Amino acid sequence: MIYQLKITLQHTSPPIWRRLLVDSNMTLADLHETIQIAFDWQGMHLHCFEARKTNRVSLTNRFITIGFDDDNLLGFDDYDYDETVETLSDWLVKEKDKLVYVYDFGDDWRHEIVLEKILAPEQGMIYPYCVKAMRGPAEEDSGGFVEEVEEVDPEELKSRINLLLNVFAEELSLPLDEQKDDRENHWPHLLSLAKQFNELAPWEYLDDDQIFAVQDPQSGEYFYCSIMGALGEEFGLAAFIGQDGLAFLKGIVAGSVINEDAIYQNHSIVLSFCNRDELTPDDYNLIKQAGFTFRGHKKWPMFRSLVPGYYPWLLSSEEVESFAIVLERALDICRRVKDGLIIEGFHEEGECLAQSAVEISKTLNWQDTHILLKANEVEAEPSDFHISELDLQRIKTKNKKFNVPLEIGMFYSLGPVQDQPSERPYFPLVFVAAERKNGMIVHHELLRPEEREKNIQSIFVQLGEKLEAVPREVWITRELHLILKPVLERLKISVVEIENQPIIQEIKKSMQQFYGF
């Protein structure tokens, strides 16, 4: 059945209230989430329910409390019933039955919940649904008083609430096997580790430059870990992957000037703790589907995968598995630091503590070691020749030279692109060729991150086809020279290597201004 509830925030004048339609089988834990959405609370404080009148019988001697049992909340977990088990129909049986929802035991925001009607479900209707909403929300942490009730257009307020409730309703209505994917075995473990990490609060005794490493047993690569939170602003753990991740981390810790395009080269997995309203619906659904809930300021875990050229995204199944191992070992190291283990501050030529995986009798064991923080310096080599000789021959047959020197460069677009709704967005790489003489653009193209070297060589050939000639001279960076070298040598094009590209930078600046970045 469907319950029509009127929920009123007590001691507000004129009253702030919402009329909601909800499933009678909804748990009180889900009703808590619904009320948070309807009243625009942020999930920063503790809450509970009080049963005042059930089956039309007033509980005069004492009220019954229903809440979330958590052994870590000493003094705040002694409830009569568990909200994750109890449903609305257990307590609201007949019309005019009442519950009280208490949010923030300091400010003591009390919401009276009255069962107004019991209705049959309507086909095609999505529940929970807000029928009517009067007046804007109270402010979080305002002392339990509303100095001035905000008058808001009821229809606009209702629409805004239902937009958020629809997201929540989608998660509630999904069949169980549709809610799960191949990450299901690892997500609950990862969330449990994240909760332990937040409770341990290693940022209270570790700075972000006290780096340690954890080896991935599958790939053998090291994750270089930095604790976030010493400044009291952002809390969590950043794990930078492999040698590229280490190089990026060095630039951050040293505070050195990083090329602005370097942010697109960051390869890491980041756990950050935020407020509930900062989570995306996907983040929230993952937590709910795993059976977890979090309370308080900066307590909700958010995981992000950062891959060069791509927009920060949810973790893949492989990343969930790998990061669970990293977080597990990070907890071990942080607990030992709390007990006296010393981790030295970052030094570019120094070493860092690392935990390496060793298999003994088919069992994975972990041992402490120290590894150099000096990234492997490998001499960059020219790319392979990725295009066909036939494509190259088309330009050679032109028997014509483009005599104006060209400045050719690449930069990332600031705006991400998503080709398909289910695909991870990426930052297109902008390939630009312009005349050195007057800065006129003769060719430009947007590239996807995959098969980068092959696509750059192909676009250079397209440039020759567009010009109907072979460029005589190109001014390019060392990086681009290494990618194009096999093509440039075959076409006998003169190369001038330059570190700074003023024309390309001016084009980049103009494009960013045009698109509003």
Side-chain angles (χ1 to χ4, degrees):
M1 301 301 291
I2 299 301
Y3 282 0
Q4 178 176 300
L5 306 178
K6 183 175 182 182
I7 307 176
T8 305
L9 183 59
Q10 295 181 329
H11 311 302
T12 56
S13 180
I16 298 171
W17 59 271
R18 311 286 186 255
R19 178 168 286 123
L20 305 176
L21 298 179
V22 300
D23 192 317
S24 61
N25 291 320
M26 171 184 278
T27 66
L28 293 187
D30 286 332
L31 179 61
H32 150 69
E33 300 293 350
T34 303
I35 295 173
Q36 287 279 309
I37 293 170
F39 284 83
D40 199 24
W41 294 122
Q42 306 302 311
M44 296 167 57
H45 302 284
L46 300 176
H47 72 277
C48 74
F49 291 89
E50 297 174 356
R52 299 283 181 168
K53 185 177 183 179
T54 181
N55 202 16
R56 292 188 181 170
V57 176
S58 297
L59 304 174
T60 54
N61 295 330
R62 61 183 292 271
F63 57 83
I64 295 172
T65 59
I66 310 163
F68 178 71
D69 289 325
D70 189 336
D71 294 337
N72 295 310
L73 301 173
L74 297 178
F76 295 101
D77 63 339
D78 190 21
Y79 299 114
D80 299 308
Y81 293 90
D82 186 348
E83 67 175 24
T84 63
V85 176
E86 302 300 305
T87 65
L88 271 171
S89 58
D90 291 330
W91 296 95
L92 301 182
V93 181
K94 297 180 180 178
E95 293 178 3
K96 298 186 180 179
D97 280 351
K98 296 179 182 179
L99 288 171
V100 173
Y101 171 73
V102 184
Y103 174 64
D104 186 350
F105 298 160
D107 286 359
D108 196 36
W109 295 109
R110 307 182 75 82
H111 308 67
E112 183 184 61
I113 305 167
V114 179
L115 174 56
E116 290 187 318
K117 295 179 182 179
I118 300 175
L119 307 168
E122 292 184 25
Q123 189 173 1
M125 192 73 176
I126 297 175
Y127 303 102
Y129 178 78
C130 180
V131 178
K132 190 170 185 179
M134 293 301 294
R135 303 175 187 91
E139 289 187 18
E140 198 93 44
D141 294 326
S142 59
F145 299 98
V146 181
E147 292 185 2
E148 184 177 349
V149 174
E150 181 186 6
E151 293 293 345
V152 182
D153 181 88
E155 287 302 313
E156 288 185 8
L157 181 58
K158 184 181 83 169
S159 297
R160 190 162 69 239
I161 291 171
N162 279 324
L163 188 65
L164 296 172
L165 286 178
N166 282 346
V167 175
F168 182 54
E170 287 177 9
E171 185 268 325
L172 287 177
S173 62
L174 284 175
L176 189 58
D177 22 339
E178 284 185 32
Q179 294 178 11
K180 300 178 180 180
D181 59 16
D182 57 358
R183 296 172 291 190
E184 65 177 351
N185 294 326
H186 300 291
W187 268 114
H189 180 50
L190 183 58
L191 288 166
S192 175
L193 293 171
K195 185 175 183 180
Q196 295 174 52
F197 194 78
N198 190 287
E199 291 166 354
L200 188 60
W203 41 83
E204 294 179 356
Y205 46 86
L206 276 172
D207 288 326
D208 58 5
D209 68 341
Q210 291 176 277
I211 307 301
F212 58 88
V214 177
Q215 188 180 39
D216 182 353
Q218 297 295 326
S219 67
E221 278 192 310
Y222 281 99
F223 286 70
Y224 297 88
C225 301
S226 173
I227 304 294
M228 304 185 299
L231 298 178
E233 296 176 357
E234 299 296 329
F235 305 92
L237 173 72
F240 299 86
I241 303 172
Q243 291 295 311
D244 290 340
L246 175 59
F248 187 83
L249 174 60
K250 283 183 176 182
I252 296 175
V253 174
S256 58
V257 177
I258 300 178
N259 182 296
E260 62 183 78
D261 282 345
I263 62 171
Y264 302 106
Q265 301 302 322
N266 183 3
H267 192 193
S268 63
I269 297 176
V270 178
L271 161 64
S272 57
F273 293 100
C274 58
N275 297 326
R276 202 201 72 167
D277 63 326
E278 296 175 276
L279 298 175
T280 68
D282 286 335
D283 291 314
Y284 180 73
N285 287 343
L286 280 171
I287 292 172
K288 289 294 292 181
Q289 290 164 18
F292 280 77
T293 189
F294 298 87
R295 293 185 177 85
H297 182 65
K298 299 292 185 181
K299 295 294 184 183
W300 292 78
M302 179 188 290
F303 301 89
R304 285 294 179 269
S305 161
L306 284 79
V307 175
Y310 288 88
Y311 190 74
W313 205 238
L314 300 173
L315 273 58
S316 67
S317 56
E318 293 80 9
E319 289 170 327
V320 171
E321 185 175 1
S322 294
F323 194 62
I325 293 172
V326 172
L327 194 51
E328 191 175 69
R329 305 322 307 160
L331 277 165
D332 174 71
I333 291 173
C334 291
R335 288 182 181 121
R336 290 160 57 199
V337 169
K338 197 171 183 180
D339 291 336
L341 176 68
I342 296 175
I343 294 182
E344 300 292 341
F346 178 86
H347 188 274
E348 189 167 346
E349 301 299 324
E351 297 180 331
C352 79
L353 173 68
Q355 286 216 333
S356 300
V358 179
E359 188 173 323
I360 302 175
S361 300
K362 296 184 179 180
T363 302
L364 198 64
N365 292 269
W366 294 90
Q367 63 181 21
D368 285 354
T369 184
H370 285 81
I371 58 175
L372 290 173
L373 282 170
K374 186 176 182 179
N376 295 333
E377 295 181 4
V378 180
E379 183 68 27
E381 296 182 355
S383 298
D384 294 330
F385 184 64
H386 292 288
I387 58 178
S388 70
E389 291 287 354
L390 181 62
D391 289 337
L392 209 61
Q393 195 63 32
R394 291 196 186 101
I395 304 178
K396 288 182 178 180
T397 55
K398 304 291 183 186
N399 291 321
K400 184 178 177 183
K401 287 286 186 180
F402 189 80
N403 292 316
V404 179
L406 296 178
E407 185 171 308
I408 302 176
M410 304 176 297
F411 54 87
Y412 282 99
S413 167
L414 290 181
V417 172
Q418 187 177 36
D419 292 334
Q420 299 292 334
S422 59
E423 284 188 359
R424 181 175 190 158
Y426 64 92
F427 293 100
L429 190 64
V430 184
F431 179 99
V432 180
E435 294 182 6
R436 287 279 298 176
K437 184 177 180 180
N438 54 24
M440 185 178 74
I441 298 174
V442 296
H443 190 63
H444 73 279
E445 196 77 43
L446 299 182
L447 304 176
R448 288 180 60 95
E450 59 267 16
E451 296 187 315
R452 181 168 172 263
E453 295 178 356
K454 177 182 178 180
N455 289 334
I456 289 171
Q457 291 181 9
S458 296
I459 288 173
F460 186 82
V461 172
Q462 292 173 24
L463 166 64
E465 291 176 348
K466 183 176 181 179
L467 296 174
E468 297 186 345
V470 177
R472 183 179 298 276
E473 181 179 275
V474 294
W475 293 51
I476 54 181
T477 62
R478 174 69 175 164
E479 177 191 10
L480 189 54
H481 187 188
L482 290 172
I483 295 173
L484 290 175
K485 190 171 183 178
V487 180
L488 298 173
E489 288 180 343
R490 284 170 169 80
L491 294 175
K492 298 179 181 179
I493 296 174
S494 176
V495 177
V496 179
E497 274 194 19
I498 54 175
E499 186 174 345
N500 298 313
Q501 296 183 296
I503 294 175
I504 299 299
Q505 288 303 313
E506 187 60 35
I507 293 170
K508 176 181 178 180
K509 182 180 177 181
S510 298
M511 288 183 68
Q512 291 173 350
Q513 290 175 345
F514 180 80
Y515 289 107
F517 293 113

